[in-house]
Amino acid sequence: MENDVNVDVLVVGAGPAGLAAAVAARKAGCRDVRILERDDAPGGILQQCIHNGFGLHRFKEELTGPEYAQRFIDAVEEEKIPVQCRTMVLDISPDRVVTAMSPEYGIQQFKAKAVVLAMGCRERPRGALMIPGTRPAGVYTAGTAQRLVNMEGLMPGKRVVILGSGDIGLIMARRMTFEGAKVLACVEIMPYSSGLKRNIVQCLDDYGIPLLLNHTVVDIQGRERVEGVTVAKVDEKRQPVPGSEIHYDCDTLLLSVGLLPENELSKTAGVKLSPVTSGAVVDDTMQTSVPGVFACGNVLHVHDLVDFVSQESEEAGRAAWAYASGSSKTAESYTAVLDGFGVRGCVPQKIGKTGADDKVAVSFRPGGVFRDAEWRIRDGENVLFKRKGRILTPGESIHVELPRKLFAESESVTVEVVQEGVSK
Amino acid sequence: MTCIGCPMGCQLDVTKEADGTITVKGAGCGRGVIYGKQEAVAPQRMVTALMPVKGRSRPLSVKTATAVPKEKIGDVLAAIAAKCADAPVKIGDVLIADVCGTGVSIVATSNAR
Amino acid sequence: MAIQDVIIVGAGVVGCSIARSLSRYKLDVLVLEAGEDVASGASKANSAIVHAGFDAEPGSNKAKYNVAGNAIFEETCRELHVPFIRNTSLVVAFAEEELPNLRKLLDRGIQNGVPDLRIIGQEELRALEPNVSDEAIAALVAPTGGICCPYDLTFRTAENAAANGVAFRFDQRVEKVEKTDGGWALVTQTGERFEARAVVNAAGCGSAMLNNQVSATKYTIQPRRGEYVMLDKSEKGCFKATMFQCPGPMGKGVLVSPTVDGTIIVGPTSEDIDSAEATETTAFGLDKMRRLSTRIWKKIPFRSAITTFSGIRAHEPSKHDFVLGEAADAPGFFNALGVESPGLTSAPAIGRDMAKWVAEKLGAEAKAASEISDDVSLWPRIREATPEQLAGLVKKDAAFGRVICRCETVSEAEIRASIRCRVGAKSIDGVKRRTRAGMGRCQGGFCSPRVIEILSQELGIPPEAVTKCGGNSRLCVGKLFDSENLSEGK
């Protein structure tokens, strides 16, 4: 094809993950790295996250989303890394030929020595929950509403019920209130919120918005525009309790019911996915099951804090360059990292017994709320590492850096939560 | 009040003694005591919001440079909405110098060309 | 307004098929539609199955038009450039006591003239469809069964009708029918009055109400709701054929079928309801659908659900059949009434015959072949193009290179074309049904703000006036800031 391009490291996505990976690859010595981005400008979803709270770990200061993104955009510009926007990747082959399309260049084929997947995630829509009711205008995922308000200057509605207490939903409760809407309730099917405590206090409590735990939306009314929703209590099996229905007159229902890594392209490349994280299965260098293809950010697993996205993506960027330059020392054997009781989605799923770094980062999400608990890593009965936590919740994933040699003797290790009174 | 220091969400019981000292009960750690005192005496919040930009429909994201008294949030929002920024604007540009007598300025958090 | 030769009430698949067939005659034809778009009733929400014809009572209109419609479906779809796949229908039996019913269907099908029917045993069934539940013991095979895209079919049919001179008016709900000297007058909810020499009543759930104003033969329409779930195309390949359940003590069951777009459709339930507007889904219905579908597919992955919806069928309870043709006591008033399943399959054949009857009545001459346009406003779809074709498209129009809907790979150029064509989209749903933008797994989460922007530009309306499906279905209630104040500068 006329538009064939050879490239050392090709990064798919110019959100926080892709930007950090590209800069890290460059700093490691890669002269030929480029980023493809489907949107009009780099920055990804951070551009619409105008609230503060980003960057405390990374920069030791509280930034808004656009400010956090800009630091990485500036770094990319400083390093003169080309970012090709308005470019949609259509296909990635297992031998790393990336087919992309854009209004400017038409169809291009990039033959990459290494590829970094950084496509991010999408929101679960109403249909995935199978909420009964009519299908009027006024039902939005929280992120879509956030885009309409913060990017387009449009007001999606005036009387709002929010289903799901994920952070985007909580943030949108406050945003909509600031823009003059009345937020009637935030409804959460679980007995706990998956959002940060700070957001519950500062986005709901501050404005008198009730958080209804163990509740869900059981009906949506209105033919053309939403006219109301019915909320009901749920039992231990998360089934609605008859007779507990509460009706809300509202014109908008926002959904903040989970994020899913967008791995359709990863599948075309033949990347093996984890059913737990819905992202790629990776080793400690973020390399997927396809050699030379790396993954990082929310396409790998959904993060709570962008700071950890940046950290993980830098590892992926460095490793991608090491692979592309032929300098990577692939481990000869690996230690499998398994989810045990109370633990969901350990990343990486395997750790090289040898590797360039002496330390490896491990993260996971608690599978429930555990108070005064301990989480530990064990090989059989042999406990390799343990740490106490006053509280572990699904809303706050655990990130830890550990010495590689800790795992060196084990075929596999299990990460688990131990709590008195809760049996395995 | 609920402590925001960590996911524990300790319920804090804050009382003001006759001599002016403040006691915080229910905090599981020292951070909770500090938070409880601050919230009881002078609760403060960062405000992030949108400001219109002359000649374009897309709004500009802005924030208070530091936290402002919680009871001033409504006034601060009104002041931001009443102002109209002139492009170009760069991150960090001061758009309102002393918003609502708080001594805190409103700064841009994104660029507008 | 001038007196038309023919007014068709209803722009569903039946009304549009009649319009297209009538456009082959030298007649002025107008279609009045209550909704804001074509296919806004049952035609947008059904199983999308092209039935083989073994289900209908022998001798009925349903049987006759099903088999006739099936026979010309492939050709119709080719002319209209819409997808059609003869994927085979299987009717699955799960117990010995269901086998007589299976044989009854076979006999009925043979009587109706359905070709190539046969019954297969468990082994052959499993070889054909490995995902079928272990309890399935036999199946009726109907190789002429197929699948299509009902809104694409309706839309292209309307486009071709419009290319041949048929006019369309939307948001016109016909409420009154009056006899005039030369024919009929129709008054809509807007108060507007339309006159024609002949009227074709293809008003779906509203069809009995119109007929009963002009004829002593009264009908009723019992709205019958069917609820569905659509599964993501990641489940593509689970079944090749449309999997029906053999009618038994559990009722008719629900079907599981691939769609021409690669998704999987599951449903419908069947429930008589009071209102033709009650297109909501219900906890009861969805739960029932889940339960029944597991008979066919034990581990049906509802985690892959991307949307749920319901459709309303216009069931006529006295005849249980399509009422087709001129009302005996109302000359020039033609009915296509009670057209429920297999209405989609029958539509091309109903259109052909109805047009013939109306033309005969009006003494209309057929147009010469050279006067007939085959244009259906086809635009290239980037998801179907090869890389070489894509390169050419983008060179011609850069907007083909801008992907708006990432789940279904739809470009800006396609969305603009779907708005600019003869019977163009006026809403998010209109764009969605013409292009598939927003029909994928994120259900418009990413693309709807962009589609709002494009609709706003193309229609020359502010973004906050863009609707989901016409009427009061505005997507946004206003702007954050008043743009007039902005231009003055505060």
Side-chain angles (χ1 to χ4, degrees), chain A residues 269-282:
Chain A
V271 166
K272 188 178 165 210
L273 300 181
S274 152
V276 183
T277 59
S278 302
V281 171
V282 292

Side-chain angles (χ1 to χ4, degrees), chain C residues 388-441:
Chain C
E388 289 73 21
Q389 289 169 328
L390 281 175
L393 283 174
V394 181
K395 213 167 270 175
K396 207 175 69 187
D397 179 358
F400 278 108
R402 187 172 175 235
V403 176
I404 300 292
C405 170
R406 53 172 96 158
C407 303
E408 294 294 309
T409 320
V410 183
S411 66
E412 180 187 333
E414 292 161 73
I415 292 171
R416 292 196 188 274
S418 77
I419 304 167
R420 289 175 187 171
C421 61
R422 294 182 183 85
V423 189
K426 298 182 286 291
S427 64
I428 293 273
D429 280 0
V431 168
K432 179 170 90 173
R433 288 197 285 271
R434 283 168 179 79
T435 65
R436 289 193 65 74
M439 226 175 245
R441 48 176 72 93

Side-chain angles (χ1 to χ4, degrees), chain C residues 8-27:
Chain C
I8 298 163
V9 185
V13 69
V14 175
C16 290
S17 295
I18 297 167
R20 176 169 180 253
S21 294
L22 272 172
S23 73
R24 272 55 181 158
Y25 295 90
K26 293 179 178 169
L27 290 168

Side-chain angles (χ1 to χ4, degrees), chain C residues 195-361:
Chain C
E195 289 190 34
R197 292 163 63 204
V199 165
V200 182
N201 172 18
C205 285
S207 55
M209 183 275 285
L210 297 182
N211 170 80
N212 296 352
Q213 293 184 41
V214 303
S215 171
T217 309
K218 306 296 182 197
Y219 295 99
T220 49
I221 292 292
Q222 171 60 60
R224 190 169 275 180
R225 177 167 61 207
E227 300 184 33
Y228 293 92
V229 174
M230 198 66 95
L231 305 183
D232 185 49
K233 57 189 171 190
S234 58
E235 304 300 334
K236 187 177 178 177
C238 60
F239 291 101
K240 293 185 287 292
T242 299
M243 307 296 286
F244 291 91
Q245 298 182 20
C246 182
M250 303 259 303
K252 260 185 112 168
V254 296
L255 64 83
V256 177
S257 178
T259 71
V260 291
D261 300 299
T263 51
I264 308 299
I265 191 169
V266 184
T269 54
S270 176
E271 182 191 359
D272 287 348
I273 51 169
D274 295 334
S275 164
E277 315 260 276
T279 54
E280 63 263 26
T281 53
T282 63
F284 177 80
L286 294 175
D287 186 54
K288 186 171 168 190
M289 200 246 348
R290 269 171 178 248
R291 248 180 316 109
L292 290 174
S293 60
T294 56
R295 291 188 80 204
I296 292 179
W297 191 3
K298 269 274 160 317
K299 288 186 180 152
I300 184 163
F302 282 105
R303 63 170 190 281
S304 296
I306 56 171
T307 189
T308 60
F309 61 93
S310 84
I312 310 283
R313 289 160 267 175
H315 177 65
E316 205 297 306
S318 66
K319 288 210 149 91
H320 303 286
D321 198 9
F322 303 161
V323 176
L324 300 174
E326 191 175 15
D329 53 351
F333 188 95
F334 291 79
N335 278 316
L337 182 152
V339 183
E340 56 180 331
S341 180
L344 174 63
T345 316
S346 307
I350 293 175
R352 180 192 61 191
D353 286 4
M354 187 70 76
K356 202 171 69 192
W357 301 330
V358 174
E360 270 168 22
K361 180 83 184 177

Side-chain angles (χ1 to χ4, degrees), chain A residues 118 121 149 224 250 279 326 342 347 361 374 417:
Chain A
C121 59
V149 175
E224 296 179 324
C250 59
V347 173
E374 177 182 287
V417 172

Side-chain angles (χ1 to χ4, degrees), chain C residues 149-215:
Chain C
C149 176
Y151 26 84
D152 207 11
L153 174 67
T154 309
F155 163 60
R156 299 290 169 190
T157 304
E159 277 299 297
N160 183 248
N164 287 293
V166 174
F168 285 81
R169 293 285 304 272
F170 295 96
D171 295 310
Q172 296 283 356
R173 179 182 295 278
V174 176
E175 290 182 336
K176 254 197 296 199
V177 192
E178 291 161 3
K179 186 86 193 81
T180 63
D181 289 344
W184 301 93
L186 305 174
V187 184
T188 67
Q189 95 286 4
T190 63
E192 233 178 305
R193 189 180 163 92
F194 300 88
E195 289 190 34
R197 292 163 63 204
V199 165
V200 182
N201 172 18
C205 285
S207 55
M209 183 275 285
L210 297 182
N211 170 80
N212 296 352
Q213 293 184 41
V214 303
S215 171

Side-chain angles (χ1 to χ4, degrees), chain C residues 35-115:
Chain C
E36 61 110 31
D37 200 355
V38 298
S40 48
S43 303
K44 77 162 189 281
N46 57 71
S47 310
I49 305 301
V50 179
H51 292 275
F54 49 76
D55 202 29
E57 193 66 40
S60 65
N61 274 336
K62 281 185 182 174
K64 180 179 162 193
Y65 282 93
N66 186 340
V67 176
N70 185 301
I72 60 170
F73 219 88
E74 196 165 355
E75 190 194 338
T76 306
C77 288
R78 198 169 41 237
E79 287 169 6
L80 295 170
H81 300 269
V82 298
F84 168 63
I85 301 169
R86 231 180 252 293
N87 69 321
T88 301
S89 293
L90 294 180
V91 186
V92 180
F94 300 92
E96 290 291 332
E97 59 265 30
E98 290 176 3
L99 293 179
N101 285 341
L102 212 56
R103 270 176 227 115
K104 220 177 273 172
L105 285 178
L106 174 72
D107 293 342
R108 205 188 262 187
I110 291 167
Q111 275 191 65
N112 290 346
V114 181

